[in-house]
């Protein structure tokens, strides 16, 4: 049974049957199998993660509906001046338990989480030598499994100095994946997710090759299920990347790669003992749309550390940067008076925020330049009932936050958009946590730009109301990269890890043929008007931009939907259909009302939607739909009202690069 071929031939063989029989006796919590396997089942029994030692090496595997998804994959930590902790070991003990995550979220896809899980903790001890110890902690939910390493204090180890992590993800067969291929560890994660077989990341033209892949990674294992690999709770650690290191045209394995220290590339993480790694998360489902509803990322993070969260508010924001800081006459004007013009627009539109973007400060972030007086704009905004976010360059924040954050609180600033972090090594992750904690002390919300992917910090520090880490609408200013195909990959990849600041709201809607990039004001966007309205429902953000020039919205009846749709403090989220890169339909509930967003790529689509998500009673559906010729004239939109109720059906007709936005008002 040592060959991977034999294991693929017997994904539900005698080992699995023996474990299932034992698990039945053990109340389905988990058990030692007859071969020494430690098996943990999800509450519904469909998903399992199995740990064992084989030839004294620690490994795990994951199965879904009795079919192998990840075949036996290595586990281990390479610590400096030591051999790998995970080789020449035995599983000394295992302890099973079960629990339920029950908590509330200030922002996000749902207001309250209640999800059962089962867990196991393994004690792993080296067979000889200093007999170092570590623990593996694992959880199994109905839609995900997760595990992490815990290294305790012990005589043979005085400090945690991680060189590399030896975690493998051996996918049972070659499969299509959606990979965020990055050039190095200095990145804002603002790139496409490329659809490519796993083996395509190992060998090009017969030549071995290696690509650094950012998380999350979405994988379609045909005949088995969909899988997404990511991580949660990064505190005191560095981010994980993946790399197919096989070099073979048949290779379909990923290895963990931990972001190294920029000052000492030989070391990734340094810490005191005991030390725990981030959770390695493997979401699993038969339909990738389920990942959008998944709450495991926040569930695996610590509880809120703030006593008072009443000052944290979600909302939409007027914003000057994307449209070129145009004034009411259409001229570029980065001035105090023009920022007040955007404040006025926010107040007229019923928004909560106005965002002052880059240009008001230099390296000294405690002083304003002559062009924009932030305290004056903040005071003016307060008189209009509007709160102000300010843009900051991360490098300048790094060493000045102790001085700057109390000053911003004194000015009355509501939040900060901190840009160009572009790192997720241990020092950078410490920066994220340090900013969140210190900002909370001064009643400041935070939106990280030029950032890594989400990992659930918003549960611990709910004043973190956004991350970018996305190829967003700003790409339309520079070229073709922000297009309908990219927009339909985002929900199934980047968005499954939480809050996405895509910055929607483009109203100069054009066809693919008519599109041209415009950097200096009045950018164009590909896709219909309804497509861009739907983005306000599809993309999950509690700090949601309204990006275009205020005059682009005035007098346009379709602007009503942007005014009405809430930012992401949703009571619940349901994905009605969708496929990565192709199309999606999402409904989200707030109070008694529901909001629907449907988007498609360049392909026209027609389908019917059952309205089973609606509660009893009747609703008025305010519908913003593509016109019959919106594919040729993307600004055209049909706005109408219909009476609907649960059990009814709604016909959806999407133009090329089209969309549908609906506000279901409870009567």
């Amino acid at each position: 049974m040592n060959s991977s071929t034999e294991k693929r031939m017997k994904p539900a063989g005698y080992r699995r049957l023996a474990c299932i029989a034992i698990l039945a006796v053990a109340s389905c919590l988990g058990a030692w199998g007859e071969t020494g396997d430690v098996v943990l089942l999800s509450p519904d029994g469909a998903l399992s993660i199995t740990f064992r030692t084989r030839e004294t090496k620690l490994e795990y595997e994951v199965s879904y509906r009795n079919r192998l998804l990840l075949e036996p994959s290595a586990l281990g930590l390479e610590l400096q001046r030591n051999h790998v902790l995970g080789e020449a070991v035995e599983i000394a003990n295992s302890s099973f338990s079960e629990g339920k995550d029950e908590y509330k979220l200030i922002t996000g896809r749902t207001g309250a989480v209640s999800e059962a899980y089962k867990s196991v903790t393994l004690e792993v001890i080296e067979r000889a030598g200093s007999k170092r110890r570590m623990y593996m902690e694992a959880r199994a939910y109905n839609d995900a499994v997760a595990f992490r390493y815990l290294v305790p204090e012990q005589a043979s180890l005085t400090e945690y100095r991680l060189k590399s992590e030896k975690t493998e993800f051996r996918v049972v067969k070659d499969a299509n994946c959606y990979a965020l291929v990055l050039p190095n560890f200095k990145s804002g994660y603002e790139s496409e997710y490329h659809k490519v077989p796993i083996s395509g990341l190992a060998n090009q033209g017969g030549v071995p090759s290696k690509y650094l892949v950012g998380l999350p990674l979405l994988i379609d294992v045909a005949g088995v299920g969909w899988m997404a690999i990511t991580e949660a709770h990064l505190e005191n650690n560095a981010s994980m990347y993946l790399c197919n290191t096989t070099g073979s045209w048949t290779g379909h394995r990923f290895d963990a790669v931990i972001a190294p220290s920029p000052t000492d590339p030989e070391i990734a993480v340094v810490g005191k003992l005991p030390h725990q790694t981030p959770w390695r998360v493997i979401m699993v489902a038969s339909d990738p749309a389920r990942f959008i509803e998944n709450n495991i990322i926040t569930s695996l993070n610590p509880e809120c550390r703030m006593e008072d969260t009443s000052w944290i508010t979600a909302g939409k924001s007027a914003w000057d940067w994307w449209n070129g800081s145009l004034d009411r006459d259409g001229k570029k004007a980065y001035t105090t008076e023009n920022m007040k013009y955007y404040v006025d627009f926010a107040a007229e539109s019923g928004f909560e925020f106005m965002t002052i973007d880059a240009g008001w400060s230099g390296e000294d972030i405690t002083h304003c330049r002559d062009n924009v007086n932030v305290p004056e704009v903040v005071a003016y905004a307060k008189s209009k009932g509007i709160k102000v976010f300010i843009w900051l360059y991360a490098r300048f924040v790094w060493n000045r936050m102790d001085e700057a954050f109390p000053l911003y609180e004194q000015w009355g600033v509501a939040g900060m958009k901190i840009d160009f972090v572009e790192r997720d090594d241990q020092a950078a992750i410490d920066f994220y946590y340090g900013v969140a904690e210190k900002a909370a002390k001064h009643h400041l919300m935070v939106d990280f730009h030029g950032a890594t992917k989400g990992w659930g910090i918003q549960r611990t520090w709910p004043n973190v109301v956004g991350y970018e880490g996305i190829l967003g609408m700003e790409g339309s200013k520079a070229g073709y990269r922000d297009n309908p195909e990219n927009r339909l990959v985002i929900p199934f990849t980047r968005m499954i890890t939480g809050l996405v600041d895509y910055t929607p709201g483009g109203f100069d809607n054009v066809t693919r043929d008519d599109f041209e990039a415009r950097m200096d004001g009045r950018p164009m966007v590909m896709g219909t008007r309804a497509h861009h309205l739907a983005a306000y429902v599809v993309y999950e953000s509690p700090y949601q931009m309204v990006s275009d020039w205020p005059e682009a919205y005035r007098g346009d009846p379709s602007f009503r939907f942007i005014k009405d749709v809430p930012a992401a403090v949703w009571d619940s989220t349901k994905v009605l259909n969708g496929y990565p890169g192709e199309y999606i339909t999402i409904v989200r509930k707030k109070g008694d009302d529901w909001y629907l967003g449907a988007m498609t790529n360049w392909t026209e689509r027609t389908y019917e939607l059952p309205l089973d998500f609606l509660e009893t009673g009747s609703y008025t559906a305010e519908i913003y739909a593509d016109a019959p010729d919106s594919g040729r004239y993307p600004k055209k939109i049909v706005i109408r009202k219909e009476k609907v109720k649960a059990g009814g059906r709604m016909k959806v007709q999407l133009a090329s690069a089209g969309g549908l936005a609906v506000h279901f008002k409870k009567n």
Side-chain angles (χ1 to χ4, degrees):
M1 291 297 294
N2 287 333
S3 76
S4 59
T5 301
E6 288 175 314
K7 290 187 179 298
R8 283 195 294 271
M9 290 171 63
K10 299 182 179 181
Y14 72 90
R15 213 175 49 242
R16 186 85 58 240
L17 295 174
C19 291
I20 290 172
I22 295 169
L23 286 167
V25 177
S27 301
C28 295
L29 282 177
W32 286 84
E34 290 183 350
T35 61
D37 293 1
V38 180
V39 185
L40 181 67
L41 284 176
S42 60
D44 65 2
L47 187 57
S48 70
I49 182 168
T50 300
F51 296 92
R52 71 172 66 87
T53 55
R54 183 174 57 160
E55 297 177 354
T56 75
K57 294 183 179 181
L58 185 64
E59 65 182 23
Y60 76 102
E61 67 182 35
V62 175
S63 292
Y64 180 55
R65 295 178 176 175
N66 291 325
R67 301 197 66 177
L68 206 58
L69 187 64
L70 290 176
E71 60 188 14
S73 304
L75 294 165
L77 301 172
E78 183 184 11
L79 304 179
Q80 192 176 40
R81 295 184 293 275
N82 285 280
H83 57 268
V84 173
L85 181 54
E87 297 179 350
V89 297
E90 62 183 6
I91 299 174
N93 292 292
S94 63
S95 175
F96 292 91
S97 63
E98 57 186 348
K100 180 178 283 189
D101 292 321
E102 292 189 292
Y103 58 93
K104 294 186 182 300
L105 289 170
I106 306 300
T107 61
R109 63 192 61 167
T110 186
V113 175
S114 179
E115 292 181 353
Y117 65 86
K118 296 181 180 179
S119 65
V120 65
T121 300
L122 311 177
E123 183 182 15
V124 180
I125 302 177
E126 289 180 320
R127 291 173 174 266
S130 57
K131 294 193 174 182
R132 294 176 301 167
R133 290 181 299 121
M134 72 174 178
Y135 296 90
M136 295 298 304
E137 182 181 0
R139 289 188 186 182
Y141 296 78
N142 287 340
D143 49 13
V145 293
F147 60 85
R148 64 179 173 182
Y149 303 83
L150 297 95
V151 181
E153 294 182 87
Q154 50 197 296
S156 55
L157 283 176
T158 59
E159 188 181 25
Y160 184 84
R161 296 182 63 83
L162 181 71
K163 291 186 66 177
S164 66
E165 185 175 319
K166 298 303 181 181
T167 304
E168 296 177 340
F169 300 87
R170 291 181 175 264
V171 184
V172 70
K173 60 182 178 179
D174 202 7
N176 276 327
C177 67
Y178 295 77
L180 178 66
V181 178
L182 298 172
N184 50 52
F185 297 104
K186 183 175 172 56
S187 166
Y189 280 63
E190 298 175 20
S191 293
E192 294 84 358
Y193 284 79
H194 297 282
K195 184 178 181 180
V196 59
I198 299 172
S199 59
L201 296 168
N203 192 285
Q204 303 295 314
V207 178
S209 53
K210 295 180 181 180
Y211 294 92
L212 192 67
V213 177
L215 301 179
L217 176 67
L218 179 68
I219 307 173
D220 177 13
V221 186
V224 183
W226 288 80
M227 173 171 56
I229 301 172
T230 189
E231 59 183 345
H233 188 204
L234 270 60
E235 194 169 17
N236 301 317
N237 284 283
S239 278
M240 179 177 76
Y241 296 74
L242 298 175
C243 184
N244 184 341
T245 60
T246 64
S248 167
W249 69 332
T250 65
H252 43 86
R253 182 190 83 220
F254 288 105
D255 296 332
V257 180
I258 309 302
S261 166
T263 57
D264 185 359
E266 292 298 313
I267 294 295
V269 177
V270 176
K272 297 179 181 179
L273 294 175
H275 186 91
Q276 61 188 26
T277 70
W279 288 97
R280 304 319 182 196
V281 180
I282 303 164
M283 301 182 191
V284 182
S286 58
D287 178 357
R290 302 287 72 80
F291 300 151
I292 301 170
E293 303 166 351
N294 192 305
N295 295 300
I296 189 173
I297 301 299
T298 49
S299 293
L300 293 174
N301 275 266
E303 296 178 356
C304 178
R305 293 176 183 166
M306 299 169 59
E307 292 184 6
D308 177 22
T309 60
S310 61
W311 53 275
I312 299 171
T313 57
K316 296 183 289 291
S317 179
W319 182 36
D320 72 290
W321 182 84
W322 187 80
N323 62 73
S325 301
L326 299 180
D327 65 13
R328 68 180 66 253
D329 297 320
K331 297 179 181 179
K332 186 176 180 67
Y334 192 85
T335 64
T336 298
E337 289 306 309
N338 199 31
M339 297 305 114
K340 292 180 180 179
Y341 159 66
Y342 283 83
V343 168
D344 290 340
F345 169 64
E348 294 165 10
S349 303
F351 301 159
E352 292 79 7
F353 302 114
M354 184 269 159
T355 300
I356 301 174
D357 213 278
W360 67 270
S361 72
E363 185 169 352
D364 184 356
I365 59 175
T366 64
H367 288 83
C368 299
R369 290 171 171 161
D370 293 337
N371 53 352
V372 172
N373 185 319
V374 171
E376 183 178 337
V377 176
V378 171
Y380 180 78
K382 184 177 180 180
S383 73
K384 300 279 187 174
I386 299 298
K387 300 176 182 179
V388 174
F389 268 70
I390 56 174
W391 183 96
L392 294 164
Y393 188 18
R395 185 162 60 89
F396 300 154
V397 175
W398 203 287
N399 297 316
R400 299 297 296 273
M401 69 176 83
D402 288 343
E403 305 165 67
F405 291 4
L407 180 64
Y408 300 155
E409 183 181 27
Q410 180 183 328
W411 287 355
V413 169
M416 306 168 294
K417 184 165 82 169
I418 299 177
D419 205 349
F420 295 107
V421 184
E422 294 183 334
R423 288 171 53 185
D424 52 11
D425 54 85
Q426 185 180 12
I429 296 301
D430 288 347
F431 172 74
Y432 283 103
Y433 280 95
V435 165
E437 182 175 8
K438 195 168 295 293
K441 291 178 181 178
H442 297 286
H443 299 92
L444 295 167
M445 292 178 280
V446 184
D447 177 35
F448 289 111
H449 267 228
T452 187
K453 81 284 179 188
W455 69 90
I457 191 176
Q458 68 269 24
R459 181 183 178 192
T460 310
W461 298 105
N463 59 320
V464 176
V465 294
Y467 325 88
E468 189 183 28
I470 191 172
L471 180 50
M473 199 174 74
E474 68 175 354
S476 285
K477 290 168 67 77
Y480 184 81
R481 299 179 73 178
D482 171 42
N483 59 67
E485 291 173 335
N486 170 65
R487 296 181 201 128
L488 270 301
V489 173
I490 288 171
F492 301 92
T493 51
R494 166 62 184 86
M495 198 173 78
I496 65 177
T497 64
L499 317 181
V500 293
D501 194 3
Y502 169 81
T503 66
F507 262 36
D508 193 357
N509 313 107
V510 297
T511 65
R512 177 165 35 183
D513 291 345
D514 291 336
F515 174 78
E516 61 182 61
R518 293 177 178 172
M519 183 63 74
D520 297 322
R522 300 186 185 179
M524 294 179 171
V525 289
M526 289 174 277
T528 70
R529 177 65 52 81
H531 178 98
H532 286 269
L533 294 180
Y536 282 89
V537 179
V538 171
Y539 298 140
E540 177 187 327
S541 177
Y543 169 57
Q544 191 72 279
M545 295 296 106
V546 182
S547 301
D548 218 325
W549 181 39
E551 304 308 314
Y553 300 120
R554 294 195 195 279
D556 192 317
S558 58
F559 184 50
R560 168 55 57 187
F561 185 80
I562 295 179
K563 290 182 177 181
D564 289 346
V565 67
V569 188
W570 300 106
D571 297 329
S572 64
T573 293
K574 297 181 180 181
V575 185
L576 304 186
N577 59 35
Y579 193 89
E582 300 285 336
Y583 65 100
I584 194 167
T585 309
I586 291 182
V587 290
R588 302 186 191 266
K589 185 185 181 187
K590 181 64 176 176
D592 290 332
D593 291 0
W594 287 85
Y595 298 82
L596 180 148
M599 301 168 69
T600 184
N601 58 8
W602 297 113
T603 302
E604 298 179 10
R605 299 182 195 276
T606 300
Y607 52 89
E608 279 198 344
L609 284 176
L611 302 180
D612 298 340
F613 57 89
L614 297 176
E615 283 85 11
T616 57
S618 64
Y619 293 77
T620 298
E622 296 181 352
I623 300 169
Y624 300 77
D626 290 328
D629 55 353
S630 288
R632 287 182 294 148
Y633 306 103
K635 292 184 179 66
K636 294 185 72 171
I637 190 167
V638 175
I639 303 174
R640 66 182 190 275
K641 294 183 180 181
E642 293 180 5
K643 297 291 185 180
V644 298
K645 60 182 180 180
R649 302 184 73 83
M650 176 174 286
K651 188 173 183 179
V652 178
Q653 292 181 293
L654 306 179
S656 173
L660 174 70
V662 184
H663 177 188
F664 295 94
K665 288 185 175 181
K666 188 72 176 286
N667 294 325

